[in-house]
Amino acid sequence: MKDDDRFIKTYSQGVGLSGTFEIWVDRYTGVNYIYRQRGYSGGISPLLDKDGKPVVTPIPY
């Protein structure tokens, strides 16, 4: 990892045709994002807690 990488992958699950789930953390804001990929499609969204607020990892990460 380079020091100027803004996003860090902190979790990964799955491979192949079933797709993958990944969690990425923005090192500047601490906001966690969930990324879902399957085949040729994918999407990303902020990871939310039970109250609907973004999950934030304390900085520095």
Side-chain angles (χ1 to χ4, degrees):
M1 177 182 73
K2 298 182 298 184
D3 287 337
D4 62 346
D5 287 342
R6 180 165 181 167
F7 294 93
I8 301 169
K9 181 169 48 171
T10 60
Y11 178 81
S12 183
Q13 174 184 328
V15 293
L17 296 176
S18 63
T20 60
F21 285 98
E22 298 175 349
I23 297 183
W24 290 80
V25 176
D26 183 334
R27 291 178 59 211
Y28 297 168
T29 64
V31 174
N32 288 241
Y33 295 88
I34 187 162
Y35 172 69
R36 168 75 165 135
Q37 182 269 326
R38 185 170 181 171
Y40 292 108
S41 64
I44 191 165
S45 176
L47 185 61
L48 305 177
D49 66 13
K50 65 179 182 171
D51 298 320
K53 296 181 181 179
V55 174
V56 178
T57 299
I59 300 173
Y61 185 80

